[in-house]
Amino acid sequence: MTMTAPSFSQIKAQVAAIRQKAPQAKVIGIHSSGRWTGESIARDGDQDYAIHQCDSPLSFRIALRQPAEGQMTKVLITNLDEHDLGDDILLRLAKRRLFQIDPWQIVRALFDAHAVDPRLTKHAWIAESLLELIPGNGYPAARGGFLDAETVWPLLLEQSIGLQAESPDLTSLLKWSLDADATKQFRHCPDAFRHGAGEWLMEKAGPVAGILLQCVERLDRPDAVPIGLAAGVVYHSAAIGKLEKATGKLEERFLGGKSPEADHMQRWSAAATDVLRALRHTESKNYRKTVQRADEILREVQADPMAYLSDTSQLGFDQRLERVGKQLSDVLERGTWDSLGGLFEARDQLGRHDQSNQEKRRLERVDMALRLVRWLESQPGHAGEPESFADAASRQLQEGGFLDWARLSLRSGDPVRHLSEAYSRLFELVRQIREQQSQGFAKLLTDWTAAGSQGNDVIPVERALEQIVAPLAAEGLVLVIVVDGMSVAVCRELLTDVTRHEWIAISEPGRTFNRPGVAAIPSVTEFSRTSLLCGKLRQGHQADEKAGFAEHPTLVERSRSGSPPVLFHKAGLQEQDDSVLAAEVRKEIASTHRRVVGVVVNAVDDHLLKGEQIDTRWSRDEIKVLPALLHEARIARRLVVLLSDHGHVLDCQAVGRSFKDELAGGERWRSSEGAAGEDELQVEGSRVMVAGRQLIAPWSERVRYGIKKNGYHGGLTPQEMIVPIAVLSSTDDFPKGWSEQPIDTPAWWDEPSPISVEAVKPVPKLKSSKPQTSGTLFDLEEKAPTPVVEGVKLPKWVSSLLASPIFEDQKRLGGRGVPADEVFTKLLVALDGRGGKLTSVALARTLEFPAVRLPGLLAKAERILNVDGYDVLRRDDASDTIELNRDLLLKQFDLVE
């Protein structure tokens, strides 16, 4: 029996509890020593109450006679006992009795419970709170009739402070802490609630929850997650002995001067990191604010110099970039390549930072720098000078283009000064070597040209259609895409993207790779492109090219009568009704009568005129018309021949130089009057297409004769003179004699794989008839034989996986075409050896598997390894990497490492 006046909440709860068993009850009597002093008419939502204080039987009878409108409930409160009331009164009360105001008794009734958890009843205020917080549809019935703390506390926390979690952990608690209104509610809750909630949350989430709640209670800002992120730096194992002052400042400002255990703070940090990562895709604005606030805290406590220890700090990401720059500078300063571990470790740490997913282009530049370092490392044992012009041209195709792609990507530098300066030094070092190579190439070119341009290992640009396109047209439909000005470097970058989208690069009969083409001299459009499209050396413009292409003898010979080759230039590729690709072009590509269709794309050449401050990535989508052309060609089952008329050099501090007769020359060539300078050569021969069949042009990329632009062409460098020729098929039905090209990236281009494909021996199958024993008295299970790599045991978990019943079940569910166990072994060991992540090219090289077919193999492997849809194995198309989550694999297949 309560000694205080009943509250309206208690009255409502008592009425709700009675109505659970007597829904029609309209008059309810309540025994209370305290008197009701509130209003006689009260409303809660759509429910009205008429509350009367009755101190005598007469007052009961008077109250009972008063009319109650609608759904109004009449509540009669008295300090009389039931035997003091007449039967006429009791008969009109619900259950014919007076009810006691006992909060826990009411709570039991509300939850339809027979007993209450002692962990709850020790807090008298909990019952009162439950009576205050009754939801509109009532409380759920207690499981088994026992009202336990696991039922009540989640209700209290959600109703009181907005914390929604049936079984709260640090992650859910930190997620809640991001809501400033919710944390403010917690600070304004009674002391008893905060103390009880802290005890409960510590019981469920561990002692860190108590530290965290004290922080929330102390601070006005919702800083629990940022503090946790900052703690990841301050309490990092690598910061021991280095950030004592920062630790003191953090504890003083944010933890009330207390010194929690480092292990507890690390747990807080790990949970905060999980919460932050969940925000990245759902609440990007809140994500940025949280990261910024964490960095502010690091600065406040003066721990910011070691922000690089954090995988989430924006400041730390910049510091990791700076560390890469310093490591790279150190390598370049030493001038030796035998100690690169620090540089590669700095890159690995950079890749582990969350920000790397948003800064893919910056990471690509870092990777390009590392590729160049690996190339420099390989130089002492590298092949000597090329023996012939054909050899030099082939080297540009097989290696030089990759070098140019890598080094030119560094032109954009990086916002971080140390890294940008390191890029500049590396660029200059590689350029010096490339300049020497260009000089040697140019000398071989001039000799080859003077000797009559003989040989079958390079294709003069005027013979490209005859030697490549015409034989293909004899067997099927062909689309010729001439990308004006496309260098080998641009072609390499472009093909890397195109061959990831249903296109297969194929090679000429009898060759592993296609031959390089060589531009006309000078290597400019009016000479080289006209010669290419007309099939003979000549100077001309678009009208000449269109007519020459339609009349090309070998192409006409392969064409159907009345359907000669047709060529489209820039103006004819688009129209008002179709801003991507004109209907006439689509029609001709789709036509089975038109065996050869050609298009000229000016994207690269246009880029040379402008865009010096634009960081261009040459992908399929960068060239607006290319996706539509490839789409139409694939539908029509046309082969695609992607080639250029000449290449180019980009302006990298090229020095302008004038010559006397400005009409007798171009941006990168001049008449043969006067002597050639130290960085120039005189070239003469039948393929020199100016008066007198001779001219002077630079072998160095540092020289220009015209106004400053983004890039130039016309010189004698391999970047300008070598024409890439790629043949692409969208099906496995290749022309006779043609074959799929193997991966042709240089060894230094890809990350070194931990194994070679030859090193992995086939994994022996278990034979149930002859189980292998352990040699002990009792063999409880068969033991899988352990595969070896050149005598070294493979990781135990790999052989355990192959022997796993779950793995066998997954393979049966995988359907047809499940990869062999040997393939899984190579795949898993290769990924695990590189920390769980490899580029698709590096993985394809390790498996000796065509890159274009790798997605199919990975899709089948994912069906086997990704049990219940969990991403054990996944491919990130944006970064072109394949990632293995070994910990998740072990868990899903119930394995022990």
Side-chain angles (χ1 to χ4, degrees), residues 338-652:
D338 56 350
S339 181
L340 302 176
L343 175 60
F344 291 119
E345 174 58 28
R347 164 59 181 89
D348 288 343
Q349 290 180 356
L350 181 65
R352 288 194 289 269
H353 198 285
D354 288 1
Q355 194 66 23
S356 64
N357 292 318
Q358 280 73 47
E359 297 281 7
K360 294 186 184 299
R361 187 56 170 164
R362 296 173 77 182
L363 257 70
E364 286 175 4
R365 283 196 286 272
V366 170
D367 288 338
M368 289 299 187
L370 266 60
R371 284 166 169 156
L372 293 174
V373 169
R374 285 198 293 266
W375 174 73
L376 289 168
E377 181 186 19
S378 72
Q379 287 306 289
H382 199 267
E385 296 296 323
E387 298 177 355
S388 65
F389 173 67
D391 185 16
S394 179
R395 292 191 187 192
Q396 174 63 12
L397 201 61
Q398 295 175 12
E399 181 172 79
F402 288 101
L403 276 172
D404 295 329
W405 175 9
R407 71 186 180 99
L408 291 172
S409 70
L410 303 184
R411 290 171 77 225
S412 300
D414 192 89
V416 173
R417 180 174 63 86
H418 283 94
L419 184 56
S420 192
E421 290 174 351
Y423 283 164
S424 181
R425 292 183 63 185
L426 178 60
F427 180 91
E428 186 57 34
L429 176 59
V430 175
R431 178 162 70 172
Q432 290 174 9
I433 300 175
R434 288 296 283 153
E435 285 280 87
Q436 296 173 10
Q437 294 175 343
S438 293
Q439 184 177 18
F441 172 90
K443 289 179 179 178
L444 291 170
L445 171 64
T446 57
D447 292 342
W448 180 75
T449 304
S453 308
Q454 300 299 313
N456 194 41
D457 290 328
V458 295
I459 305 176
V461 70
E462 66 273 15
R463 298 181 61 191
L465 299 184
E466 172 192 343
Q467 296 194 15
I468 299 295
V469 177
L472 295 173
E475 296 194 34
L477 307 178
V478 183
L479 172 64
V480 180
I481 303 177
V482 179
V483 183
D484 194 327
M486 179 176 65
S487 64
V488 176
V490 171
C491 185
R492 286 298 189 185
E493 186 173 6
L494 186 57
L495 283 179
T496 298
D497 181 60
V498 170
T499 52
R500 289 170 54 195
H501 296 89
E502 302 174 328
W503 289 93
I504 305 169
I506 60 177
S507 298
E508 295 180 71
R511 296 180 181 272
T512 305
F513 305 108
N514 292 339
R515 291 170 289 169
V518 58
I521 302 175
S523 52
V524 293
T525 300
E526 63 179 297
F527 296 115
S528 210
R529 194 176 78 186
T530 306
S531 299
L532 164 69
L533 295 171
C534 294
K536 56 185 177 181
L537 290 170
R538 62 171 295 183
Q539 181 180 7
H541 300 285
Q542 290 189 12
D544 304 301
E545 294 169 355
K546 196 173 185 71
F549 190 76
E551 297 169 0
H552 193 290
T554 53
L555 295 187
V556 171
E557 184 180 342
R558 301 318 193 266
S559 299
R560 296 184 60 168
S561 177
S563 298
V566 61
L567 180 69
F568 295 92
H569 286 88
K570 181 177 180 179
L573 291 178
Q574 297 171 318
E575 60 184 14
Q576 185 173 357
D577 293 339
D578 190 335
S579 61
V580 177
L581 190 62
E584 181 65 20
V585 181
R586 294 183 188 271
K587 174 185 173 183
E588 293 294 355
I589 295 174
S591 172
T592 56
H593 295 282
R594 191 79 68 180
R595 298 185 75 84
V596 181
V597 178
V599 296
V600 176
V601 177
N602 296 95
V604 176
D605 214 26
D606 290 346
H607 174 67
L608 301 181
L609 301 176
K610 50 190 176 181
E612 183 181 3
Q613 297 180 337
I614 298 175
D615 181 21
T616 302
R617 299 176 65 180
W618 292 110
S619 66
R620 184 186 61 160
D621 294 328
E622 180 67 26
I623 301 176
K624 184 178 180 182
V625 74
L626 189 55
L629 289 171
L630 294 174
H631 172 75
E632 295 295 334
R634 182 172 56 82
I635 293 174
R637 297 177 67 86
R638 281 184 184 267
L639 292 171
V640 171
V641 178
L642 184 68
L643 76 167
S644 178
D645 52 347
H646 57 77
H648 66 269
V649 292
L650 294 180
D651 187 287
C652 300

Side-chain angles (χ1 to χ4, degrees), residues 701-716:
E701 64 184 45
R702 295 172 179 266
V703 178
R704 60 177 171 84
Y705 302 129
I707 62 173
K708 180 177 172 60
K709 295 181 181 178
N710 186 42
Y712 321 95
H713 49 90
L716 302 178

Side-chain angles (χ1 to χ4, degrees), residues 132 178 268 288 337 406 625 639 656 715 816 828 875:
E132 290 279 354
L178 291 168
W268 184 348
R288 291 191 297 272
W337 319 105
V625 74
L639 292 171
R816 299 175 59 186
L828 296 173
R875 174 171 181 168

Side-chain angles (χ1 to χ4, degrees), residues 70 79 91 114 160 210 213 244 263 336 386 509 561 572 666 669 729:
N79 61 357
L91 283 171
H114 306 298
S160 300
L213 285 174
E244 280 83 356
D263 180 61
T336 58
S561 177
W669 67 278
S729 173

Side-chain angles (χ1 to χ4, degrees), residues 211-212 214-215 218-219 227 235 247 249-260 265 268:
I211 305 171
L212 196 156
Q214 291 174 8
C215 177
R218 188 176 298 106
L219 303 175
I227 291 170
Y235 294 89
T247 303
K249 289 179 180 292
L250 182 74
E251 292 170 353
E252 179 183 350
R253 296 186 185 184
F254 300 102
L255 304 180
K258 298 180 180 178
S259 299
M265 297 305 294
W268 184 348

